[in-house]
């Protein structure tokens, strides 16, 4: 492929959608106002865009700082132009939430959401015994678009269901997980397998999003970009 053909074939697609996938691994935000995005996820932009780190004070702010990855905070991108976001080559999934839709997402898997979406950090006390299953999750409530990331194509499972904590990305807010251990832990000595601990979603009429990959640290880590990452997970002792 010669140079001109390369430039033409790999240029951005024209879109008027607020959130659109530029490719399976890149999000194109047609910005005319402001959105919230994961710190470190910006890979480029056109037009006039300003970035501002966002956090709140006290314990809640500390949790938001840790859960959203990179040891940093969410960033607010405002202006007019096209904003391109990505996170470690993970697949981008775009969901549109209605006013009564609410979803719980592992902090490391939140890429961006519109400012109309309400967000909060909630402690999942029912799964506190699962070391890497996401003690703290980001709850997103519509209306508005959200973008999450997955390693590979996700699978959406109806509840009731049990899942590997390290492969669990998100779930509908009308169900809540509890930690279950089915197998003798002695059989897993020397292994770091999600089969020793499981998340049980016993409620009806909900869904759970899983990915074909087990994240060793789903609460933290992240990409480069605006700030360097620490890769730290959550330790409840840090907030007491």
């Amino acid at each position: 492929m010669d140079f001109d053909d390369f430039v033409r074939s790999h240029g951005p697609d024209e879109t008027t959608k607020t959130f659109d996938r530029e490719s399976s691994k890149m999000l194109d935000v047609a910005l005319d106002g402001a959105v919230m995005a994961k710190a470190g996820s910006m890979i480029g932009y056109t037009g006039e865009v300003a970035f501002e780190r966002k956090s709140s004070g006290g314990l809640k702010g500390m949790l938001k700082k840790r859960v959203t990855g990179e040891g940093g905070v969410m960033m607010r991108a405002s202006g007019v132009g096209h904003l391109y976001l990505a996170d470690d080559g993970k697949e981008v999934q775009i969901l549109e939430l209605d006013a009564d839709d609410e979803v719980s997402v592992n902090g490391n898997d939140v890429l961006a959401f519109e400012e109309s979406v309400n967000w909060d950090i909630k402690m999942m006390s029912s799964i506190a015994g699962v070391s890497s299953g996401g003690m703290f999750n980001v709850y997103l409530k519509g209306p508005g678009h959200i973008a999450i990331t997955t390693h590979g194509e996700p699978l959406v499972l109806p509840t009731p269901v049990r899942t590997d904590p390290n492969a669990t990305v998100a779930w509908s807010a009308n169900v809540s997980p509890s930690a279950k251990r089915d197998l003798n832990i002695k059989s897993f000595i020397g292994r770091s397998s999600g089969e020793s601990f499981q998340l049980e979603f016993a409620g009806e009429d909900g869904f759970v999003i899983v990915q074909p990959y087990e994240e060793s640290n789903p609460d933290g880590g992240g990409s480069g970009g605006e700030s360097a990452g620490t890769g730290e997970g959550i330790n409840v002792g840090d907030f007491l």
Side-chain angles (χ1 to χ4, degrees):
M1 181 181 295
D2 66 29
F3 182 74
D4 290 338
D5 288 341
F6 178 84
V7 172
R8 283 193 296 269
S9 63
H10 290 84
D13 295 328
E14 295 295 329
T15 182
T16 58
K17 297 179 181 179
T18 303
F19 279 20
D20 201 5
R21 294 205 305 180
E22 184 59 45
S23 73
S24 66
K25 297 177 173 63
M26 288 185 284
L27 177 69
D28 178 357
V29 181
L31 193 61
D32 187 6
V35 298
M36 297 292 293
K38 182 179 181 178
S41 64
M42 185 275 289
I43 60 172
Y45 64 90
T46 62
E48 297 293 329
V49 181
F51 300 93
E52 177 187 5
R53 295 301 181 92
K54 301 294 289 185
S55 65
S56 57
L59 175 63
K60 185 175 179 181
M62 292 171 66
L63 294 179
K64 288 183 179 180
K65 184 175 181 180
R66 292 293 296 277
V67 172
T68 50
E70 301 189 286
V73 295
M74 295 296 289
M75 64 181 182
R76 182 177 184 267
S78 60
V80 177
H82 281 266
L83 173 63
Y84 301 99
L85 305 174
D87 185 18
D88 284 346
K90 295 166 68 176
E91 301 283 336
V92 175
Q93 318 295 338
I94 300 174
L95 307 175
E96 183 177 3
L97 302 182
D98 293 331
D100 56 349
D101 289 335
E102 186 174 3
V103 64
S104 174
V105 186
N106 277 337
N108 194 45
D109 299 321
V110 177
L111 181 61
F113 51 88
E114 293 185 272
E115 273 206 315
S116 58
V117 174
N118 294 309
W119 68 294
D120 198 3
I121 303 298
K122 297 184 180 180
M123 184 176 74
M124 304 302 300
S125 58
S126 61
I127 58 173
V130 182
S131 61
S132 59
M135 278 180 58
F136 298 91
N137 265 32
V138 182
Y139 275 67
L140 302 168
K141 188 177 189 305
H145 290 86
I146 68 172
I148 65 176
T149 55
T150 60
H151 289 278
E153 285 297 314
L155 176 66
V156 181
L157 298 170
T159 60
V161 67
R162 289 187 179 187
T163 65
D164 182 330
N166 295 346
T168 304
V169 175
W171 57 83
S172 57
N174 64 322
V175 294
S176 182
S178 58
K180 296 294 180 182
R181 189 203 300 267
D182 279 350
L183 302 178
N184 190 328
I185 190 63
K186 292 180 180 179
S187 65
F188 288 94
I189 293 176
R191 306 182 189 181
S192 57
S193 174
E195 287 80 9
S196 58
F197 269 113
Q198 300 168 4
L199 296 183
E200 181 178 46
F201 297 85
E204 301 283 345
D205 301 321
F207 66 84
V208 182
I209 302 173
V210 295
Q211 61 187 359
Y213 182 91
E214 295 184 21
E215 293 192 62
S216 60
N217 186 15
D219 289 317
S223 61
E226 293 75 39
S227 64
T230 66
E232 294 178 302
I234 286 180
N235 183 337
V236 70
D238 293 339
F239 309 113
L240 298 180

